């Protein structure tokens, strides 16, 4: 099974209109890239970025969506709105949303379903805290999140799963290559068990947490790692282009 690698950048709450220069540089640097490239800027930039990136190797995504297609939800964005603005993907269930907004698996699952309703690919995030790993519960926690956060009907096109150990996000610490392999093999087995071998083997599994140009190559070479979900190192075109290259 060959899965095309995906290098996805999550800009989180970073980026003003002036950051368009980074997108332009990234578009230049990734022409003809072997890997798929995605940037998820703050929602304020999606439409402008999608317009700039049209026809390039760079796809544009959202960082969250509401489960409903519309209605009285002040401050929220429907998946349909992200699609309308030019997004092709949306991240759901990021650990920062789970922590800052109390999002639970059922809500994440509804958001992933909303993404599919709008024709978007859902990037469903899972990951254990340091205390959970220290207690030997990493697989139990991540397995539970995986089961609870993905609706029925997943395909290799509509779903990407991102494993992001919470303690590795923004800390400069990455999980060991052995720990990444163990978790990704576990996630692959769970996907195959639930969705069958054709889909389960084809869904991409990204690693996230302090991925940088200097460690991306070795991480992307790990068993069942099909790319990365990159925070800080996706903000600068040079760094992210190097990560895209490592994924090729
Ligand atoms: P960092 O790459 O900054 O550790 O962030 C990872 C992340 O949370 C991506 O979604």
């Amino acid at each position: 099974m060959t899965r095309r690698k995906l290098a996805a950048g999550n800009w989180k709450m970073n980026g003003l209109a002036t950051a368009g220069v980074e997108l332009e540089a990234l578009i230049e640097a990734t022409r003809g890239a072997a890997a798929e490239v995605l940037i998820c800027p703050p929602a304020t930039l999606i439409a402008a970025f999608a317009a700039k990136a049209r026809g390039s190797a760079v796809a544009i995504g959202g960082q969250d969506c509401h489960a409903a297609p519309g209605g009285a939800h002040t401050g929220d964005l429907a998946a349909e709105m992200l699609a309308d603005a030019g997004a092709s993907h949306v991240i759901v269930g990021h650990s920062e949303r789970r922590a800052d907004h109390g999002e639970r698996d059922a809500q994440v699952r509804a958001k992933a379903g909303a993404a599919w309703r709008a024709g978007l690919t859902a990037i469903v995030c899972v990951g254990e805290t340091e205390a959970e790993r220290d207690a030997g519960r990493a697989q139990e926690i991540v397995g539970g999140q995986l089961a609870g956060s993905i609706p029925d009907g997943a395909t290799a096109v509509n779903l990407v799963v991102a494993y992001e150990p919470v303690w590795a996000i923004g800390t400069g610490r990455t999980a060991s290559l052995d720990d990444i392999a163990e978790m990704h093999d576990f996630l692959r087995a769970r996907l195959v068990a639930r969705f069958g071998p054709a889909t389960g083997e084809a869904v991409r599994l990204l690693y996230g947490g302090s991925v940088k140009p200097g460690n991306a190559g070795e991480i992307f070479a790990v068993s069942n790692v099909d790319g990365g979900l990159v925070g800080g190192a996706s903000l600068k075109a040079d760094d992210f282009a190097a990560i895209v290259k490592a994924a090729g």
Side-chain angles (χ1 to χ4, degrees):
M1 165 63 60
T2 49
R3 292 173 295 263
R4 189 173 175 213
K5 292 254 195 307
L6 169 61
N10 173 11
W11 279 20
K12 309 190 179 184
M13 199 170 73
N14 297 292
L16 302 175
T18 50
V21 297
E22 294 299 329
L23 179 69
E24 284 161 12
L26 184 68
I27 288 169
E28 281 309 313
T30 58
R31 281 197 199 288
E36 217 174 300
V37 187
L38 172 69
I39 289 290
C40 299
T44 47
L45 296 179
I46 289 174
F49 275 28
K52 256 193 225 292
R54 196 158 297 134
S56 80
V58 182
I60 302 298
Q63 299 175 10
D64 177 51
C65 65
H66 195 279
H73 302 289
T74 302
D76 281 315
L77 293 169
E80 284 79 357
M81 294 169 176
L82 301 179
D84 188 49
S88 53
H89 296 65
V90 61
I91 298 167
V92 293
H94 191 280
S95 63
E96 287 152 14
R97 302 252 2 138
R98 292 178 188 260
D100 295 353
H101 299 272
E103 291 189 12
R104 310 297 295 263
D105 292 341
Q107 201 177 349
V108 175
R109 181 186 180 109
K111 290 178 180 216
W116 296 353
R117 186 187 65 221
L120 301 177
T121 295
I123 301 178
V124 175
C125 301
V126 297
E128 82 287 355
T129 64
E130 185 156 38
E132 289 162 347
R133 174 159 288 271
D134 289 347
R137 299 180 58 212
Q139 285 194 357
E140 171 202 335
I141 296 293
V142 169
Q145 290 173 341
L146 187 81
S149 303
I150 301 173
D152 291 334
T155 71
V157 174
N158 70 18
L159 178 69
V160 172
V161 173
Y163 168 58
E164 301 202 305
V166 175
W167 48 271
I169 293 176
T171 59
R173 295 167 58 200
T174 53
S176 73
L177 299 180
D178 284 349
D179 286 345
I180 296 172
E182 192 178 11
M183 187 62 83
H184 278 238
D185 289 352
F186 166 76
L187 289 169
R188 177 69 61 209
R190 286 290 175 98
L191 288 172
V192 167
R194 176 158 173 208
F195 297 109
T199 297
E201 289 286 355
V203 169
R204 266 94 54 95
L205 290 175
L206 309 184
Y207 169 81
S210 299
V211 175
K212 304 266 181 303
N215 62 21
E218 61 182 18
I219 291 173
F220 296 164
V222 169
S223 159
N224 279 311
V225 173
D226 307 309
L229 183 55
V230 183
S234 71
L235 293 169
K236 289 276 166 251
D238 288 353
D239 287 347
F240 196 54
I243 290 170
V244 171
K245 205 168 211 163

